[in-house]
Amino acid sequence: MLVELTQPASLSAEAANGHSQWQQWLNSSVKRLADASLLRSLHPVCTTLSPVEVDLSSVALKEWLDSIAPSSGSASTCLTSQASQGSIRLKLFSLNDYMGLSQHPAICRAAGDTAVQCGMGPRSSALVGGYTRQHQDLEASLATLKGTEDCLLFSSGFAANLAVVSALCQGPDAVIFSDALNHASIIDGCRLAVRSKGALQVYRHNDMAHLEELLQACPASKRKLVITDSLFSMDGDFADLHGLVALRRRYGFALALDEAHATLVAGDRGGGAAEMFGVASEVDIHIGTLSKGFGSHGGFVAGSSALKSFLMNRGRSYVFSTALPLPAVAAAQAAIIVCQQEPQRRQNLWDRVQQLGDLLGVAVQSPIIPLVVGDEAAALAASALLLRKGFHVPAIRPPTVPKHTSRLRVSLSAAHTADDIRSLAAAIKECNLRFLPMDQVLGMPASLRPGSSKM
């Protein structure tokens, strides 16, 4: 669908020309995305009582299939006939609800009770009037989980990364060292910092030798920040945290860790990858989200009280955002309690990870399991075939991942059962794919990659 701008009844010649330029630019931009098969679309689903299952109408399903593999007309017709009752149920292997908490009764009850008692809470930025005792209590709980002095809530994990990098690394005396595969929110934070005269160095993914070369070349007078995802969202591998800590001791930089995909998932208490690898006390800045393992919404930064004070005054994505709605705050607080009371949920998640790895014969490190096929068309066709069988496993392709590394990205949840995993593995095997080893894809020796058995 081409984009149209609303045009006033009467415009000057100059204004009409400007309007036309914008409309032409929007239309041509959308067309270029469509021609490159990069135009994304939305596919509305109907939720169920399971955090890993949704219902989808037959019409929406056919549109979804056509958007993945337009040439598979007969196959999509076959599936539509299966959905003659009006909808089919999809098993989702595409979400970030790693602990299966988004529909846990205690989390739903906490959010619902809070909505009835408090509504959404004060609708204002936290600094003006939106900060409540509930926000303060959740910050204290997150600081305890991360083993830090204090914590600051954000509207999202994206906003948290944006604030950390852009606020801390302003000025010509600041240098950022960022992993090449870091999340887009970190990249955008780096771009803002560079606009404020900070410097940026990008080191090859998990390559500690390359990072050390860059650190050695950096003047000792510079303020240095090294930032990395702890668990990488497209490759499912962990940062070399022991290597990073060793370099931190040698070069004295501040270490920031984005634990978006690892908080509540990794570590004996769910403290994240830093806890799992025993280095939590040597991480200066712990960044996270409440929308993945917590099953809620929002973000946070945990660290020193001085860090909190600075970010709440200089982090623009904090200062100029409305405080988190209280039902989301209550849900996140309840998620921490549930994970403390039900440690078997984390064990179940890691059992499912190992089960799928064993069934497919692939090495696994985390609940994010990339099945790299290389060819883009093959990945799309496999994703469409799995969708026809009732499994949503997205195909990830360039530019999200490098050329020739297109993949199926499987993400697992504690809500998946052993039968779910067996059914998925059987369906994947029917795709007749050959998976590339992740060591080859990442271009790094296996000795540098953390073992999959650790929790």
Side-chain angles (χ1 to χ4, degrees), residues 36-84:
S37 299
L38 295 176
L39 188 64
R40 298 185 177 112
S41 55
L42 297 173
H43 307 285
V45 299
C46 297
T47 59
T48 68
L49 294 178
S50 168
V52 294
E53 292 181 349
V54 295
D55 288 332
L56 192 67
S57 72
S58 57
V59 173
L61 183 58
K62 186 179 185 305
E63 291 175 349
W64 199 342
L65 274 169
D66 289 342
S67 73
I68 299 174
S71 61
S72 61
S74 60
S76 62
T77 301
C78 174
L79 181 54
T80 303
S81 67
Q82 296 176 24
S84 58

mmCIF file of all heavy atoms in Angstrom, residues 36-84:
data_model
loop_
_atom_site.group_PDB
_atom_site.id
_atom_site.type_symbol
_atom_site.label_atom_id
_atom_site.label_comp_id
_atom_site.label_asym_id
_atom_site.label_seq_id
_atom_site.Cartn_x
_atom_site.Cartn_y
_atom_site.Cartn_z
ATOM 1 N N ALA A 36 12.818 -5.171 -2.830
ATOM 2 C CA ALA A 36 13.926 -5.926 -2.232
ATOM 3 C C ALA A 36 13.441 -7.029 -1.293
ATOM 4 O O ALA A 36 14.248 -7.662 -0.608
ATOM 5 C CB ALA A 36 14.849 -4.969 -1.474
ATOM 6 N N SER A 37 12.114 -7.245 -1.271
ATOM 7 C CA SER A 37 11.494 -8.242 -0.375
ATOM 8 C C SER A 37 11.821 -7.967 1.084
ATOM 9 O O SER A 37 12.010 -8.884 1.881
ATOM 10 C CB SER A 37 11.952 -9.661 -0.762
ATOM 11 O OG SER A 37 11.560 -9.973 -2.076
ATOM 12 N N LEU A 38 11.896 -6.677 1.441
ATOM 13 C CA LEU A 38 12.206 -6.273 2.810
ATOM 14 C C LEU A 38 11.058 -5.530 3.480
ATOM 15 O O LEU A 38 11.206 -5.035 4.592
ATOM 16 C CB LEU A 38 13.456 -5.386 2.824
ATOM 17 C CG LEU A 38 14.767 -6.048 2.392
ATOM 18 C CD1 LEU A 38 15.895 -5.019 2.353
ATOM 19 C CD2 LEU A 38 15.132 -7.197 3.319
ATOM 20 N N LEU A 39 9.907 -5.461 2.818
ATOM 21 C CA LEU A 39 8.781 -4.719 3.364
ATOM 22 C C LEU A 39 8.051 -5.599 4.369
ATOM 23 O O LEU A 39 7.458 -6.621 4.016
ATOM 24 C CB LEU A 39 7.827 -4.290 2.248
ATOM 25 C CG LEU A 39 6.707 -3.338 2.664
ATOM 26 C CD1 LEU A 39 7.286 -2.000 3.130
ATOM 27 C CD2 LEU A 39 5.728 -3.126 1.507
ATOM 28 N N ARG A 40 8.105 -5.212 5.621
ATOM 29 C CA ARG A 40 7.464 -5.987 6.680
ATOM 30 C C ARG A 40 5.990 -5.618 6.787
ATOM 31 O O ARG A 40 5.571 -4.526 6.416
ATOM 32 C CB ARG A 40 8.160 -5.734 8.020
ATOM 33 C CG ARG A 40 9.611 -6.154 8.057
ATOM 34 C CD ARG A 40 10.183 -5.969 9.451
ATOM 35 N NE ARG A 40 11.552 -6.430 9.543
ATOM 36 C CZ ARG A 40 12.597 -5.635 9.722
ATOM 37 N NH1 ARG A 40 12.410 -4.338 9.821
ATOM 38 N NH2 ARG A 40 13.816 -6.131 9.800
ATOM 39 N N SER A 41 5.224 -6.541 7.319
ATOM 40 C CA SER A 41 3.804 -6.287 7.542
ATOM 41 C C SER A 41 3.399 -6.890 8.885
ATOM 42 O O SER A 41 4.135 -7.695 9.467
ATOM 43 C CB SER A 41 2.967 -6.890 6.407
ATOM 44 O OG SER A 41 3.245 -8.277 6.264
ATOM 45 N N LEU A 42 2.233 -6.493 9.367
ATOM 46 C CA LEU A 42 1.740 -6.966 10.655
ATOM 47 C C LEU A 42 0.738 -8.095 10.449
ATOM 48 O O LEU A 42 -0.048 -8.079 9.490
ATOM 49 C CB LEU A 42 1.077 -5.818 11.421
ATOM 50 C CG LEU A 42 2.002 -4.656 11.792
ATOM 51 C CD1 LEU A 42 1.188 -3.511 12.395
ATOM 52 C CD2 LEU A 42 3.067 -5.105 12.770
ATOM 53 N N HIS A 43 0.744 -9.062 11.362
ATOM 54 C CA HIS A 43 -0.145 -10.217 11.269
ATOM 55 C C HIS A 43 -0.855 -10.381 12.609
ATOM 56 O O HIS A 43 -0.312 -10.983 13.543
ATOM 57 C CB HIS A 43 0.650 -11.473 10.913
ATOM 58 C CG HIS A 43 1.504 -11.312 9.701
ATOM 59 N ND1 HIS A 43 0.984 -11.303 8.421
ATOM 60 C CD2 HIS A 43 2.846 -11.113 9.559
ATOM 61 C CE1 HIS A 43 1.953 -11.130 7.558
ATOM 62 N NE2 HIS A 43 3.093 -11.003 8.214
ATOM 63 N N PRO A 44 -2.068 -9.837 12.736
ATOM 64 C CA PRO A 44 -2.773 -9.883 14.032
ATOM 65 C C PRO A 44 -3.138 -11.312 14.430
ATOM 66 O O PRO A 44 -3.623 -12.095 13.608
ATOM 67 C CB PRO A 44 -4.021 -9.028 13.789
ATOM 68 C CG PRO A 44 -4.193 -9.022 12.300
ATOM 69 C CD PRO A 44 -2.840 -9.123 11.704
ATOM 70 N N VAL A 45 -2.880 -11.635 15.678
ATOM 71 C CA VAL A 45 -3.209 -12.954 16.221
ATOM 72 C C VAL A 45 -4.159 -12.780 17.396
ATOM 73 O O VAL A 45 -4.327 -11.676 17.926
ATOM 74 C CB VAL A 45 -1.928 -13.692 16.681
ATOM 75 C CG1 VAL A 45 -0.979 -13.904 15.514
ATOM 76 C CG2 VAL A 45 -1.230 -12.928 17.811
ATOM 77 N N CYS A 46 -4.770 -13.878 17.804
ATOM 78 C CA CYS A 46 -5.653 -13.881 18.974
ATOM 79 C C CYS A 46 -4.981 -14.686 20.075
ATOM 80 O O CYS A 46 -4.573 -15.835 19.856
ATOM 81 C CB CYS A 46 -7.006 -14.503 18.628
ATOM 82 S SG CYS A 46 -7.927 -13.592 17.379
ATOM 83 N N THR A 47 -4.857 -14.082 21.245
ATOM 84 C CA THR A 47 -4.162 -14.751 22.337
ATOM 85 C C THR A 47 -5.009 -15.894 22.889
ATOM 86 O O THR A 47 -6.228 -15.950 22.711
ATOM 87 C CB THR A 47 -3.839 -13.767 23.466
ATOM 88 O OG1 THR A 47 -5.068 -13.189 23.946
ATOM 89 C CG2 THR A 47 -2.919 -12.662 22.978
ATOM 90 N N THR A 48 -4.321 -16.821 23.563
ATOM 91 C CA THR A 48 -4.975 -17.953 24.218
ATOM 92 C C THR A 48 -4.546 -17.954 25.683
ATOM 93 O O THR A 48 -3.883 -17.021 26.147
ATOM 94 C CB THR A 48 -4.559 -19.279 23.563
ATOM 95 O OG1 THR A 48 -3.174 -19.532 23.843
ATOM 96 C CG2 THR A 48 -4.765 -19.222 22.050
ATOM 97 N N LEU A 49 -4.871 -19.005 26.386
ATOM 98 C CA LEU A 49 -4.468 -19.116 27.788
ATOM 99 C C LEU A 49 -3.028 -19.587 27.932
ATOM 100 O O LEU A 49 -2.521 -19.690 29.041
ATOM 101 C CB LEU A 49 -5.411 -20.069 28.530
ATOM 102 C CG LEU A 49 -6.858 -19.597 28.665
ATOM 103 C CD1 LEU A 49 -7.698 -20.655 29.375
ATOM 104 C CD2 LEU A 49 -6.934 -18.271 29.406
ATOM 105 N N SER A 50 -2.361 -19.861 26.811
ATOM 106 C CA SER A 50 -0.965 -20.278 26.839
ATOM 107 C C SER A 50 -0.071 -19.153 26.353
ATOM 108 O O SER A 50 -0.389 -18.495 25.351
ATOM 109 C CB SER A 50 -0.752 -21.507 25.951
ATOM 110 O OG SER A 50 0.635 -21.750 25.744
ATOM 111 N N PRO A 51 1.073 -18.915 27.010
ATOM 112 C CA PRO A 51 1.982 -17.864 26.531
ATOM 113 C C PRO A 51 2.702 -18.238 25.246
ATOM 114 O O PRO A 51 3.353 -17.374 24.648
ATOM 115 C CB PRO A 51 2.972 -17.708 27.692
ATOM 116 C CG PRO A 51 2.933 -19.013 28.404
ATOM 117 C CD PRO A 51 1.533 -19.525 28.267
ATOM 118 N N VAL A 52 2.605 -19.495 24.795
ATOM 119 C CA VAL A 52 3.318 -19.905 23.575
ATOM 120 C C VAL A 52 2.364 -20.395 22.492
ATOM 121 O O VAL A 52 2.784 -21.050 21.541
ATOM 122 C CB VAL A 52 4.370 -20.995 23.888
ATOM 123 C CG1 VAL A 52 5.476 -20.429 24.760
ATOM 124 C CG2 VAL A 52 3.729 -22.216 24.540
ATOM 125 N N GLU A 53 1.084 -20.071 22.594
ATOM 126 C CA GLU A 53 0.125 -20.452 21.571
ATOM 127 C C GLU A 53 -0.783 -19.270 21.243
ATOM 128 O O GLU A 53 -1.174 -18.508 22.134
ATOM 129 C CB GLU A 53 -0.751 -21.630 22.026
ATOM 130 C CG GLU A 53 0.004 -22.939 22.175
ATOM 131 C CD GLU A 53 -0.913 -24.064 22.600
ATOM 132 O OE1 GLU A 53 -2.078 -23.786 22.976
ATOM 133 O OE2 GLU A 53 -0.469 -25.233 22.584
ATOM 134 N N VAL A 54 -1.108 -19.123 19.962
ATOM 135 C CA VAL A 54 -2.058 -18.108 19.528
ATOM 136 C C VAL A 54 -2.975 -18.716 18.487
ATOM 137 O O VAL A 54 -2.654 -19.743 17.866
ATOM 138 C CB VAL A 54 -1.364 -16.861 18.923
ATOM 139 C CG1 VAL A 54 -0.537 -16.139 19.966
ATOM 140 C CG2 VAL A 54 -0.522 -17.242 17.707
ATOM 141 N N ASP A 55 -4.127 -18.096 18.293
ATOM 142 C CA ASP A 55 -5.034 -18.481 17.216
ATOM 143 C C ASP A 55 -4.921 -17.455 16.093
ATOM 144 O O ASP A 55 -4.717 -16.253 16.332
ATOM 145 C CB ASP A 55 -6.476 -18.537 17.719
ATOM 146 C CG ASP A 55 -6.729 -19.731 18.625
ATOM 147 O OD1 ASP A 55 -6.024 -20.758 18.460
ATOM 148 O OD2 ASP A 55 -7.601 -19.646 19.508
ATOM 149 N N LEU A 56 -5.062 -17.955 14.874
ATOM 150 C CA LEU A 56 -4.908 -17.109 13.697
ATOM 151 C C LEU A 56 -6.012 -17.473 12.713
ATOM 152 O O LEU A 56 -6.260 -18.658 12.452
ATOM 153 C CB LEU A 56 -3.533 -17.339 13.064
ATOM 154 C CG LEU A 56 -3.055 -16.375 11.989
ATOM 155 C CD1 LEU A 56 -2.820 -14.988 12.589
ATOM 156 C CD2 LEU A 56 -1.768 -16.892 11.364
ATOM 157 N N SER A 57 -6.679 -16.464 12.175
ATOM 158 C CA SER A 57 -7.727 -16.735 11.198
ATOM 159 C C SER A 57 -7.117 -17.290 9.920
ATOM 160 O O SER A 57 -5.948 -17.046 9.605
ATOM 161 C CB SER A 57 -8.515 -15.459 10.886
ATOM 162 O OG SER A 57 -7.735 -14.579 10.106
ATOM 163 N N SER A 58 -7.929 -18.033 9.159
ATOM 164 C CA SER A 58 -7.419 -18.622 7.924
ATOM 165 C C SER A 58 -7.010 -17.545 6.924
ATOM 166 O O SER A 58 -6.028 -17.701 6.194
ATOM 167 C CB SER A 58 -8.479 -19.538 7.302
ATOM 168 O OG SER A 58 -9.683 -18.825 7.063
ATOM 169 N N VAL A 59 -7.732 -16.433 6.905
ATOM 170 C CA VAL A 59 -7.387 -15.337 5.990
ATOM 171 C C VAL A 59 -6.047 -14.720 6.385
ATOM 172 O O VAL A 59 -5.158 -14.522 5.544
ATOM 173 C CB VAL A 59 -8.492 -14.267 5.993
ATOM 174 C CG1 VAL A 59 -8.060 -13.044 5.183
ATOM 175 C CG2 VAL A 59 -9.783 -14.839 5.438
ATOM 176 N N ALA A 60 -5.885 -14.439 7.695
ATOM 177 C CA ALA A 60 -4.627 -13.862 8.162
ATOM 178 C C ALA A 60 -3.474 -14.819 7.935
ATOM 179 O O ALA A 60 -2.352 -14.406 7.601
ATOM 180 C CB ALA A 60 -4.741 -13.500 9.640
ATOM 181 N N LEU A 61 -3.726 -16.101 8.084
ATOM 182 C CA LEU A 61 -2.683 -17.097 7.885
ATOM 183 C C LEU A 61 -2.219 -17.142 6.442
ATOM 184 O O LEU A 61 -1.019 -17.207 6.147
ATOM 185 C CB LEU A 61 -3.202 -18.462 8.323
ATOM 186 C CG LEU A 61 -2.201 -19.611 8.243
ATOM 187 C CD1 LEU A 61 -0.970 -19.317 9.074
ATOM 188 C CD2 LEU A 61 -2.852 -20.909 8.692
ATOM 189 N N LYS A 62 -3.163 -17.110 5.512
ATOM 190 C CA LYS A 62 -2.785 -17.105 4.094
ATOM 191 C C LYS A 62 -1.979 -15.865 3.753
ATOM 192 O O LYS A 62 -0.977 -15.937 3.022
ATOM 193 C CB LYS A 62 -4.028 -17.182 3.209
ATOM 194 C CG LYS A 62 -3.697 -17.333 1.723
ATOM 195 C CD LYS A 62 -4.945 -17.427 0.899
ATOM 196 C CE LYS A 62 -4.582 -17.692 -0.575
ATOM 197 N NZ LYS A 62 -3.646 -16.687 -1.108
ATOM 198 N N GLU A 63 -2.396 -14.703 4.288
ATOM 199 C CA GLU A 63 -1.632 -13.470 4.034
ATOM 200 C C GLU A 63 -0.224 -13.586 4.612
ATOM 201 O O GLU A 63 0.751 -13.125 4.005
ATOM 202 C CB GLU A 63 -2.368 -12.283 4.657
ATOM 203 C CG GLU A 63 -3.677 -11.937 3.964
ATOM 204 C CD GLU A 63 -4.426 -10.831 4.680
ATOM 205 O OE1 GLU A 63 -4.029 -10.478 5.818
ATOM 206 O OE2 GLU A 63 -5.415 -10.312 4.112
ATOM 207 N N TRP A 64 -0.122 -14.196 5.787
ATOM 208 C CA TRP A 64 1.182 -14.369 6.421
ATOM 209 C C TRP A 64 2.072 -15.270 5.570
ATOM 210 O O TRP A 64 3.232 -14.970 5.310
ATOM 211 C CB TRP A 64 0.987 -14.969 7.818
ATOM 212 C CG TRP A 64 2.143 -14.804 8.756
ATOM 213 C CD1 TRP A 64 3.442 -14.498 8.422
ATOM 214 C CD2 TRP A 64 2.114 -14.916 10.172
ATOM 215 N NE1 TRP A 64 4.216 -14.423 9.551
ATOM 216 C CE2 TRP A 64 3.424 -14.678 10.634
ATOM 217 C CE3 TRP A 64 1.109 -15.211 11.089
ATOM 218 C CZ2 TRP A 64 3.751 -14.728 11.989
ATOM 219 C CZ3 TRP A 64 1.432 -15.257 12.428
ATOM 220 C CH2 TRP A 64 2.739 -15.017 12.875
ATOM 221 N N LEU A 65 1.509 -16.393 5.119
ATOM 222 C CA LEU A 65 2.270 -17.303 4.276
ATOM 223 C C LEU A 65 2.722 -16.624 2.988
ATOM 224 O O LEU A 65 3.867 -16.772 2.562
ATOM 225 C CB LEU A 65 1.420 -18.533 3.943
ATOM 226 C CG LEU A 65 1.440 -19.675 4.952
ATOM 227 C CD1 LEU A 65 0.361 -20.685 4.621
ATOM 228 C CD2 LEU A 65 2.817 -20.336 4.976
ATOM 229 N N ASP A 66 1.822 -15.861 2.373
ATOM 230 C CA ASP A 66 2.171 -15.177 1.131
ATOM 231 C C ASP A 66 3.274 -14.147 1.347
ATOM 232 O O ASP A 66 4.083 -13.893 0.444
ATOM 233 C CB ASP A 66 0.936 -14.498 0.540
ATOM 234 C CG ASP A 66 -0.066 -15.503 -0.027
ATOM 235 O OD1 ASP A 66 0.330 -16.663 -0.267
ATOM 236 O OD2 ASP A 66 -1.244 -15.134 -0.213
ATOM 237 N N SER A 67 3.313 -13.544 2.542
ATOM 238 C CA SER A 67 4.373 -12.566 2.817
ATOM 239 C C SER A 67 5.725 -13.233 3.021
ATOM 240 O O SER A 67 6.767 -12.615 2.816
ATOM 241 C CB SER A 67 4.012 -11.736 4.053
ATOM 242 O OG SER A 67 4.149 -12.504 5.246
ATOM 243 N N ILE A 68 5.727 -14.501 3.427
ATOM 244 C CA ILE A 68 6.988 -15.228 3.625
ATOM 245 C C ILE A 68 7.475 -15.824 2.321
ATOM 246 O O ILE A 68 8.629 -15.665 1.920
ATOM 247 C CB ILE A 68 6.813 -16.355 4.668
ATOM 248 C CG1 ILE A 68 6.407 -15.771 6.015
ATOM 249 C CG2 ILE A 68 8.100 -17.166 4.803
ATOM 250 C CD1 ILE A 68 6.076 -16.824 7.060
ATOM 251 N N ALA A 69 6.583 -16.560 1.645
ATOM 252 C CA ALA A 69 6.956 -17.251 0.416
ATOM 253 C C ALA A 69 5.806 -17.136 -0.575
ATOM 254 O O ALA A 69 4.961 -18.025 -0.668
ATOM 255 C CB ALA A 69 7.271 -18.719 0.707
ATOM 256 N N PRO A 70 5.751 -16.033 -1.329
ATOM 257 C CA PRO A 70 4.621 -15.782 -2.224
ATOM 258 C C PRO A 70 4.401 -16.872 -3.259
ATOM 259 O O PRO A 70 3.297 -17.035 -3.765
ATOM 260 C CB PRO A 70 5.002 -14.452 -2.903
ATOM 261 C CG PRO A 70 5.973 -13.811 -1.964
ATOM 262 C CD PRO A 70 6.714 -14.948 -1.324
ATOM 263 N N SER A 71 5.434 -17.636 -3.571
ATOM 264 C CA SER A 71 5.315 -18.638 -4.627
ATOM 265 C C SER A 71 4.659 -19.925 -4.157
ATOM 266 O O SER A 71 4.398 -20.818 -4.951
ATOM 267 C CB SER A 71 6.699 -18.962 -5.200
ATOM 268 O OG SER A 71 7.540 -19.500 -4.189
ATOM 269 N N SER A 72 4.413 -20.049 -2.838
ATOM 270 C CA SER A 72 3.903 -21.316 -2.307
ATOM 271 C C SER A 72 2.379 -21.319 -2.253
ATOM 272 O O SER A 72 1.780 -21.653 -1.251
ATOM 273 C CB SER A 72 4.469 -21.562 -0.905
ATOM 274 O OG SER A 72 4.078 -20.527 -0.022
ATOM 275 N N GLY A 73 1.739 -20.965 -3.379
ATOM 276 C CA GLY A 73 0.290 -20.844 -3.401
ATOM 277 C C GLY A 73 -0.434 -22.118 -3.056
ATOM 278 O O GLY A 73 -1.372 -22.132 -2.266
ATOM 279 N N SER A 74 -0.029 -23.246 -3.659
ATOM 280 C CA SER A 74 -0.733 -24.492 -3.386
ATOM 281 C C SER A 74 -0.593 -24.907 -1.943
ATOM 282 O O SER A 74 -1.527 -25.438 -1.344
ATOM 283 C CB SER A 74 -0.189 -25.599 -4.293
ATOM 284 O OG SER A 74 1.200 -25.799 -4.049
ATOM 285 N N ALA A 75 0.588 -24.648 -1.375
ATOM 286 C CA ALA A 75 0.801 -25.030 0.022
ATOM 287 C C ALA A 75 -0.059 -24.199 0.943
ATOM 288 O O ALA A 75 -0.633 -24.703 1.910
ATOM 289 C CB ALA A 75 2.270 -24.872 0.382
ATOM 290 N N SER A 76 -0.157 -22.891 0.662
ATOM 291 C CA SER A 76 -0.971 -22.052 1.533
ATOM 292 C C SER A 76 -2.443 -22.415 1.402
ATOM 293 O O SER A 76 -3.200 -22.350 2.362
ATOM 294 C CB SER A 76 -0.752 -20.566 1.199
ATOM 295 O OG SER A 76 -1.156 -20.282 -0.114
ATOM 296 N N THR A 77 -2.859 -22.846 0.191
ATOM 297 C CA THR A 77 -4.237 -23.294 0.015
ATOM 298 C C THR A 77 -4.494 -24.538 0.850
ATOM 299 O O THR A 77 -5.550 -24.698 1.467
ATOM 300 C CB THR A 77 -4.513 -23.594 -1.473
ATOM 301 O OG1 THR A 77 -4.269 -22.421 -2.231
ATOM 302 C CG2 THR A 77 -5.957 -24.050 -1.668
ATOM 303 N N CYS A 78 -3.484 -25.439 0.886
ATOM 304 C CA CYS A 78 -3.611 -26.654 1.685
ATOM 305 C C CYS A 78 -3.838 -26.318 3.150
ATOM 306 O O CYS A 78 -4.704 -26.906 3.804
ATOM 307 C CB CYS A 78 -2.351 -27.511 1.517
ATOM 308 S SG CYS A 78 -2.309 -28.951 2.596
ATOM 309 N N LEU A 79 -3.096 -25.374 3.649
ATOM 310 C CA LEU A 79 -3.244 -25.017 5.060
ATOM 311 C C LEU A 79 -4.590 -24.360 5.306
ATOM 312 O O LEU A 79 -5.240 -24.622 6.302
ATOM 313 C CB LEU A 79 -2.122 -24.071 5.481
ATOM 314 C CG LEU A 79 -2.166 -23.644 6.939
ATOM 315 C CD1 LEU A 79 -2.211 -24.848 7.848
ATOM 316 C CD2 LEU A 79 -0.979 -22.795 7.290
ATOM 317 N N THR A 80 -5.028 -23.512 4.367
ATOM 318 C CA THR A 80 -6.305 -22.856 4.550
ATOM 319 C C THR A 80 -7.431 -23.883 4.650
ATOM 320 O O THR A 80 -8.382 -23.725 5.408
ATOM 321 C CB THR A 80 -6.574 -21.876 3.390
ATOM 322 O OG1 THR A 80 -5.507 -20.948 3.325
ATOM 323 C CG2 THR A 80 -7.872 -21.133 3.585
ATOM 324 N N SER A 81 -7.312 -24.990 3.895
ATOM 325 C CA SER A 81 -8.334 -26.028 3.988
ATOM 326 C C SER A 81 -8.334 -26.686 5.352
ATOM 327 O O SER A 81 -9.373 -27.085 5.864
ATOM 328 C CB SER A 81 -8.117 -27.084 2.902
ATOM 329 O OG SER A 81 -6.916 -27.804 3.136
ATOM 330 N N GLN A 82 -7.154 -26.797 5.961
ATOM 331 C CA GLN A 82 -7.071 -27.335 7.307
ATOM 332 C C GLN A 82 -7.747 -26.396 8.301
ATOM 333 O O GLN A 82 -8.208 -26.818 9.364
ATOM 334 C CB GLN A 82 -5.610 -27.537 7.718
ATOM 335 C CG GLN A 82 -4.863 -28.567 6.896
ATOM 336 C CD GLN A 82 -3.404 -28.627 7.305
ATOM 337 O OE1 GLN A 82 -3.056 -28.276 8.418
ATOM 338 N NE2 GLN A 82 -2.554 -29.056 6.391
ATOM 339 N N ALA A 83 -7.775 -25.118 7.983
ATOM 340 C CA ALA A 83 -8.343 -24.120 8.892
ATOM 341 C C ALA A 83 -9.785 -23.796 8.521
ATOM 342 O O ALA A 83 -10.229 -22.663 8.639
ATOM 343 C CB ALA A 83 -7.488 -22.851 8.845
ATOM 344 N N SER A 84 -10.520 -24.803 8.028
ATOM 345 C CA SER A 84 -11.882 -24.560 7.553
ATOM 346 C C SER A 84 -12.814 -24.102 8.666
ATOM 347 O O SER A 84 -13.884 -23.563 8.409
ATOM 348 C CB SER A 84 -12.432 -25.835 6.903
ATOM 349 O OG SER A 84 -12.404 -26.911 7.838
#
